[in-house]
Amino acid sequence: MSCSPALHDVSVNIATHGLRNTNRFPWRIAIAIALGTFLIQGPWQGLQSILIPTRLAEIDAMSKASALATMSSCSTVISAIGSIVTGSISDHTHTRIGRRAPWMLIGSIGAMFMAFSIMFCTQIWQIILLTALTTPFTCMTGTAIMAMIPDSVTEQHRSNVTALYAVGVVVGQYGGQSLATLFLEHERYGYLVLSLLMLCAGPVTTVLVRPQSNLARGQRAGIAASGGQRPTITPMAFARMFAFPTRNVHDFYCALVGRIAYSIGVWVVGTYQLYILTDYIRLSEADLNRALRLMLLALMITSMTLSAASGPISTKLGMLKLPTIASAMLLVMASAIPLFSPTVTGMVVFAVISGSSQGIFNTTDQALNIAILPDKANAAKNLAIINLSNPIAIISSSVGGSMIIVHLGYQALFVASIIASLVSIALFLCVRRR
């Protein structure tokens, strides 16, 4: 395996990446991307949201919320950095099985071993450490899988393949948590099964995609991009790769901060959903599994349905901003229900409305972000900046939510979600594009 830091221009990218120039829809690649995304994200989401919080509560019930906040914050920071670093490395990797497959395989193997080791932990610091060590491997696999969309799919099919990728994300996010609830009474089997599913992500995706060697193409592209010299990168060029845009950025930054606020509204409740059910709704252990499965099923179905439906509808109406604002309004409504009705029914209704909100937002907000990019030549970098909203929101929600629980109680989490959602509405209203 060898890595080249060459910065390829567009023409070199087309030659090097080997796009399939065909009118036929690339079903094999689309299925590989969706399935691989589910296999790496779903089990890890189930561990982080269900089994690991359960283990933290068993070790120290009094400090479980602060421990979960610390774990989530560490993992999120590592995820943000790891995605950028591993993505950049895979961009410039040349092997006999292409540039993405090695990192998918290494990542899934490492994630399996690290995640499986968590079940043997007896101290909170051990869980936090192993969770932090698992995260780079999940990022390595997930980033490589996602990067196959621009690598292997022509522009005419890219939006449809991206939609299937989004389905893999949604099914992974909620399906993984639903699967994890089946093992609440047999945690060790849960760690084993979920870890083995993570191991399958890299091999399954690689077998379906059938990557080709890029050794020769990489050598030719590197020489062409560097004017016949050994490819190098200067510190200044490296810094420019990560520079934030400064021109025509009004809509860009309004949408960025609005996305952060909306995501905080989602995660400030989602991070502590298990503890909300046990400590706020006060469910017994017998009722907890059923309530969790029902909530997660509602979230998954509504999110998938609205994600698929809102894209064509917003395109037909020629509107992106208004559906995004409407999704934030739905989140306000969702969070208000458990605030005044702390019951299982209230939480299920919350899940239905919140899932609808997230389904609409995930589709229309992403389309809005692409439409308002300040510099089309640096679209990938600017979209990566937009995606930093997720780790920022998760860290803010984890740390802020922990403080809210300690000083104000679980009920105040829903108030915080409402406030964050209202802030996002105000910011999206400031976006000039329709």
Side-chain angles (χ1 to χ4, degrees):
M1 183 186 304
S2 62
C3 293
S4 167
L7 303 177
H8 308 317
D9 57 28
V10 175
S11 62
V12 174
N13 270 318
I14 294 174
T16 304
H17 299 167
L19 298 179
R20 275 82 163 167
N21 292 308
T22 175
N23 290 326
R24 296 178 58 188
F25 185 78
W27 282 108
R28 178 167 48 82
I29 295 173
I31 292 171
I33 291 171
L35 184 58
T37 299
F38 166 75
L39 287 172
I40 194 63
Q41 292 193 11
W44 185 229
Q45 188 67 40
L47 287 170
Q48 283 190 304
S49 299
I50 305 298
L51 293 185
I52 293 178
T54 301
R55 184 62 179 147
L56 291 173
E58 292 170 353
I59 294 174
D60 189 349
M62 295 300 295
S63 60
K64 60 186 179 183
S66 59
L68 182 60
T70 302
M71 184 194 77
S72 299
S73 299
C74 292
S75 297
T76 304
V77 171
I78 293 172
S79 177
I81 298 172
S83 295
I84 296 173
V85 172
T86 57
S88 179
I89 293 173
S90 70
D91 278 343
H92 308 301
T93 296
H94 307 294
T95 74
R96 294 185 182 276
I97 54 173
R99 58 181 186 161
R100 309 299 182 192
W103 303 106
M104 289 189 290
L105 295 171
I106 294 171
S108 58
I109 293 170
M112 185 274 290
F113 278 112
M114 291 298 175
F116 184 68
S117 300
I118 296 174
M119 80 174 188
F120 298 105
C121 293
T122 57
Q123 301 291 329
I124 285 179
W125 69 267
Q126 295 172 345
I127 294 177
I128 293 174
L129 175 62
L130 282 176
T131 302
L133 292 175
T134 307
T135 300
F137 291 107
T138 60
C139 290
M140 192 179 295
T141 304
T143 301
I145 291 173
M146 182 174 62
M148 287 193 299
I149 297 176
D151 281 2
S152 306
V153 181
T154 55
E155 188 172 353
Q156 62 179 323
H157 299 306
R158 202 165 287 170
S159 60
N160 292 327
V161 174
T162 302
L164 285 175
Y165 166 79
V167 170
V169 172
V170 172
V171 175
Q173 182 175 357
Y174 299 117
Q177 294 180 60
S178 298
L179 180 61
T181 61
L182 299 176
F183 299 101
L184 281 173
E185 297 179 0
H186 306 281
E187 293 179 33
R188 295 207 166 204
Y189 291 110
Y191 281 100
L192 177 61
V193 171
L194 294 175
S195 298
L196 289 175
L197 287 174
M198 294 169 73
L199 174 64
C200 294
V204 167
T205 307
T206 302
V207 168
L208 288 174
V209 171
R210 303 173 196 167
Q212 300 174 350
S213 171
N214 68 339
L215 281 172
R217 286 195 299 266
Q219 292 168 359
R220 291 195 300 267
I223 293 172
S226 57
Q229 302 297 321
R230 182 181 179 85
T232 59
I233 184 170
T234 64
M236 185 62 68
F238 182 80
R240 282 198 296 268
M241 291 170 58
F242 301 97
F244 278 52
T246 56
R247 295 182 179 179
N248 303 318
V249 294
H250 175 272
D251 284 359
F252 179 79
Y253 286 116
C254 283
L256 170 60
V257 182
R259 183 184 175 99
I260 292 173
Y262 177 87
S263 299
I264 289 174
V266 171
W267 284 105
V268 75
V269 174
T271 301
Y272 295 99
Q273 63 179 342
L274 183 66
Y275 300 156
I276 288 172
L277 291 174
T278 56
D279 298 356
Y280 178 57
I281 308 298
R282 299 193 180 281
L283 291 182
S284 64
E285 186 173 343
D287 296 330
L288 177 61
N289 292 357
R290 184 178 60 184
L292 267 177
R293 291 194 197 105
L294 193 57
M295 284 179 59
L296 294 172
L297 182 64
L299 280 165
M300 182 173 67
I301 292 175
T302 54
S303 181
M304 287 181 59
T305 303
L306 270 295
S307 291
S310 57
I313 293 174
S314 63
T315 300
K316 186 174 182 179
L317 295 176
M319 297 180 180
L320 294 173
K321 183 173 78 171
L322 289 181
T324 304
I325 293 172
S327 68
M329 291 179 176
L330 283 175
L331 188 59
V332 171
M333 294 171 55
S335 298
I337 292 171
L339 181 63
F340 299 105
S341 178
T343 62
V344 173
T345 301
M347 288 301 296
V348 172
V349 175
F350 162 81
V352 171
I353 301 176
S354 177
S356 302
S357 168
Q358 293 175 56
I360 297 171
F361 186 87
N362 290 338
T363 299
T364 59
D365 178 67
Q366 189 66 18
L368 179 63
N369 292 333
I370 295 172
I372 62 177
L373 289 177
D375 182 6
K376 302 297 182 183
N378 293 302
K381 179 191 71 176
N382 292 334
L383 285 173
I385 293 172
I386 287 281
N387 287 333
L388 286 175
S389 60
N390 293 325
I392 292 173
I394 292 172
I395 293 174
S396 302
S397 300
S398 298
V399 176
S402 177
M403 296 174 63
I404 289 171
I405 292 169
V406 171
H407 297 288
L408 299 174
Y410 287 96
Q411 190 175 29
L413 292 177
F414 298 101
V415 177
S417 176
I418 292 172
I419 294 173
S421 302
L422 291 173
V423 170
S424 73
I425 291 172
L427 288 162
F428 285 121
L429 284 170
C430 293
V431 174
R432 293 166 184 158
R433 194 195 187 285
R434 186 171 177 233

